[in-house]
Amino acid sequence: MITSAEIQSVKQRFGIIGNSPLLNHAIQVAMQASPTDMTVLITGESGSGKESFSKIIHALSVRKHGKFIAINCGAIPEGTIDSELFGHEKGSFTGAHEARKGYFEVTDGGSIFLDEIGEMPLGTQARLLRVLENGEFIKVGSSKVLKTNVRVIAATNVNLIKAVEKGKFREDLYYRLNTVPIFVPPLRERGEDIVLLFRKFTTDFSEKYKVKPVSLDADAKTLLMKFPFPGNIRQLKNLAEQISLLEQEREIDAATLGRYLPTDQTRLPAAYTGASSSTDSSTDFSERDILYKVLFDMKKDMHELKKLVLESYQSGGLNANIINKHQNLFEDLESPVSFDESNTSSNVPAVNMPLVIDPHKNNEDLDEYEDESIEDIIHEEDDNSLSLEKKEKEMIIRALQKHNNKRKYAASDLGISERTLYRKIKQYDID
Ligand SMILES: Nc1ncnc2c1ncn2[C@@H]1O[C@H](COP(=O)(O)OP(=O)(O)OP(=O)(O)O)[C@@H](O)[C@H]1O
Ligand SMILES: [Mg+2]
């Protein structure tokens, strides 16, 4: 019997937010299935959070010290998937210069997560069925039967029964995979979890980008809970990040929130992710992450720069005419700016001026510049022109760390080819 305290502790361990009965039930089934060697089929709409379930099942199983490999069946070309999963012999096809072990061989004793199983070609399905039935497989181009002991966890966001009816999925494999079904409920059926998740994502965002978190007023919370979220948690996360990034106001009311909620559900980008080949967290990570970071840094830099110019002027280091010409730049600063021409006590070119901090003013935002001259700051600004490259390097390092330096997975996570990744590793001199 699994207690609710045990379910809570699993949620905490795997960063799963929410308390709805449907979610708790799904976690409970995963916990019950974990210690067995049964094949598990995780179903649920795109973005509902299926991936964490595969991790729970492996981590709570006796195989936890064995390997865990997650494969996105939809992302591997049909021509190579057999060789990726089961390996090949040297010379078995053009380009097969060396023999290669497949995932089922290297994961012997561990678990394989087959994501987007509905995308698996029929020929591969036959091989998979065999390995599930008796642990046997044959490498591409070989006739030797090999044995492996792998636990299979599969996931899909498509209706496999329909796929069976259309002849795209083997019926026998469907029943074999579905030994333990786990249904991950859509977000719209999780009630207050929506608000809890929103809070989690806005808090994460605020910590990451060092800003005050946004919060929702009561009406906004009600509106959020009514929204159907066809893209589920992935869509909610996007929404939380968009609002955190774009809204000046930190307390969000229903009218403001409403502007971010799409009205035409059929045209939501999040709704398309299910149809795309990428199901792992890569979509939450690479491009959008870089873009947000660049935008956010830029916005912050602009704000800092405006303050800097203003402070510099107030301490007599800038000519009022220059500032007056660009009044509109300062409109978004908290304290209104008034410039008068008489305050041009010093016309020393600003670039060579050490930054003077007025101790009587609130200079919190400038603290970090205290020991720097404007020249240093300008150099820093120059460096910022390289920040796209810096960010790219950062993202590459993160992706490599995330995948234990497995370039193949890191490349796929970053949405670039393995060859491009090699080139970039060299270019940025990454160890
Ligand atoms: N309960 C949860 N608490 C916090 N974050 C969650 C939760 N469930 C999912 N997420 C986050 O939501 C995003 C989408 O989840 P995930 O990638 O697991 O979806 P999925 O069901 O695999 O979708 P797809 O079918 O498109 O692959 C991820 O960033 C994940 O970390
Ligand atoms: Mg997924």
Side-chain angles (χ1 to χ4, degrees):
M1 182 61 197
I2 288 166
T3 65
S4 64
E6 284 166 335
I7 295 179
Q8 293 307 326
S9 96
V10 164
K11 280 195 249 180
Q12 215 165 17
R13 176 168 165 201
F14 292 90
I16 295 176
I17 306 293
N19 216 0
S20 70
L22 286 174
L23 176 73
N24 286 345
H25 176 71
I27 294 173
Q28 186 191 328
V29 178
M31 290 169 75
Q32 278 167 332
S34 301
T36 73
D37 248 350
M38 288 173 173
T39 310
V40 176
L41 179 64
I42 308 165
T43 56
E45 290 178 16
S46 180
S48 57
K50 296 184 288 297
E51 206 166 310
S52 313
F53 281 85
S54 65
K55 292 180 185 145
I56 294 178
I57 292 163
H58 175 74
L60 301 185
S61 75
V62 287
R63 297 167 180 265
K64 64 182 174 217
H65 299 300
K67 276 208 168 86
F68 173 80
I69 292 188
I71 315 286
N72 184 340
C73 302
I76 304 177
E78 195 165 336
T80 53
I81 189 162
D82 283 353
S83 138
E84 298 250 344
L85 292 178
F86 303 104
H88 63 246
E89 290 299 350
K90 186 175 172 179
S92 54
F93 53 85
T94 327
H97 302 303
E98 297 296 333
R100 180 185 179 278
K101 287 184 179 176
Y103 298 131
F104 272 93
E105 191 172 348
V106 296
T107 317
D108 196 3
S111 317
I112 284 190
F113 175 43
L114 296 173
D115 204 356
E116 286 217 18
I117 188 83
E119 301 289 316
M120 185 178 269
L122 281 164
T124 316
Q125 290 178 28
R127 288 175 181 265
L128 176 61
L129 186 64
R130 180 167 185 185
V131 87
L132 284 171
E133 294 288 349
N134 51 24
E136 287 177 3
F137 69 98
I138 298 174
K139 284 182 169 185
V140 175
S142 162
S143 53
K144 205 165 115 201
V145 177
L146 300 173
K147 276 266 195 191
T148 187
N149 173 11
V150 174
R151 199 242 187 109
V152 171
I153 304 158
T156 179
N157 57 33
V158 299
N159 186 333
L160 281 186
I161 298 182
K162 280 203 178 126
V164 168
E165 282 165 8
K166 284 187 199 154
K168 287 189 173 162
F169 205 81
R170 290 180 68 118
E171 191 173 7
D172 46 7
L173 178 61
Y174 170 69
Y175 289 113
R176 184 65 189 74
L177 285 172
N178 207 17
T179 319
V180 181
I182 294 180
F183 173 63
V184 183
L187 185 57
R188 65 186 158 279
E189 287 171 19
R190 296 195 210 172
E192 299 218 344
D193 286 3
I194 299 180
V195 175
L196 296 180
L197 280 157
F198 185 86
R199 195 185 306 147
K200 178 206 167 20
F201 294 137
T202 49
T203 310
D204 287 354
F205 191 89
S206 72
E207 278 164 13
K208 191 164 157 193
Y209 296 108
K210 313 259 180 309
V211 284
K212 220 173 138 201
V214 296
S215 60
L216 301 173
D217 74 10
D219 287 347
K221 280 182 188 161
T222 312
L223 179 65
L224 192 73
M225 279 164 59
K226 279 192 192 144
F227 189 74
F229 285 105
N232 291 291
I233 299 178
R234 188 176 289 124
Q235 184 183 11
L236 177 69
K237 192 171 177 181
N238 283 348
L239 174 80
E241 294 195 346
Q242 264 178 36
I243 295 182
S244 303
L245 175 73
L246 301 174
E247 266 315 304
Q248 295 289 337
E249 198 57 54
R250 297 281 96 179
E251 165 98 9
I252 306 295
D253 58 19
T256 309
L257 176 65
R259 286 205 304 275
Y260 289 87
L261 297 175
T263 43
D264 182 0
Q265 292 302 326
T266 55
R267 304 195 55 198
L268 271 174
Y272 285 110
T273 50
S276 86
S277 61
S278 161
T279 59
D280 55 17
S281 49
S282 63
T283 31
D284 306 313
F285 167 57
S286 54
E287 277 170 70
R288 203 188 68 233
D289 233 17
I290 296 176
L291 214 63
Y292 275 161
K293 190 151 170 44
V294 171
L295 274 176
F296 206 80
D297 287 354
M298 228 151 82
K299 192 173 151 192
K300 237 165 98 183
D301 284 352
M302 282 298 287
H303 201 75
E304 291 298 316
L305 205 62
K306 288 178 195 177
K307 282 197 163 169
L308 177 79
V309 174
L310 181 59
E311 290 287 339
S312 184
Y313 159 74
Q314 280 165 346
S315 59
L318 263 183
N319 188 316
N321 290 330
I322 303 172
I323 303 268
N324 274 334
K325 248 179 37 202
H326 301 284
Q327 272 275 6
N328 59 328
L329 268 180
F330 300 94
E331 276 162 8
D332 62 343
L333 291 184
E334 292 90 33
S335 47
V337 185
S338 95
F339 301 100
D340 76 74
E341 309 275 326
S342 61
N343 196 3
T344 52
S345 51
S346 161
N347 284 333
V348 185
V351 172
N352 296 321
M353 275 283 298
L355 177 61
V356 183
I357 307 286
D358 184 342
H360 306 298
K361 280 201 211 90
N362 178 9
N363 285 314
E364 283 174 344
D365 291 291
L366 294 168
D367 279 355
E368 54 185 301
Y369 292 131
E370 226 158 357
D371 299 322
E372 291 177 73
S373 71
I374 291 212
E375 240 172 346
D376 289 339
I377 292 163
I378 284 176
H379 279 132
E380 222 168 78
E381 289 296 314
D382 280 350
D383 289 349
N384 275 347
S385 62
L386 295 172
S387 66
L388 249 179
E389 283 177 16
K390 260 198 272 174
K391 289 212 165 102
E392 188 175 59
K393 185 175 172 186
E394 252 172 63
M395 301 306 290
I396 290 173
I397 292 172
R398 270 177 62 187
L400 284 165
Q401 283 167 347
K402 180 175 159 195
H403 296 284
N404 293 327
N405 293 329
K406 298 253 161 43
R407 290 175 185 183
K408 189 182 168 75
Y409 299 123
S412 118
D413 210 351
L414 290 162
I416 56 178
S417 70
E418 228 179 315
R419 190 179 303 156
T420 308
L421 181 61
Y422 271 105
R423 194 165 47 73
K424 293 206 180 276
I425 288 172
K426 267 204 172 146
Q427 178 189 339
Y428 294 132
D429 207 14
I430 299 168
D431 288 335

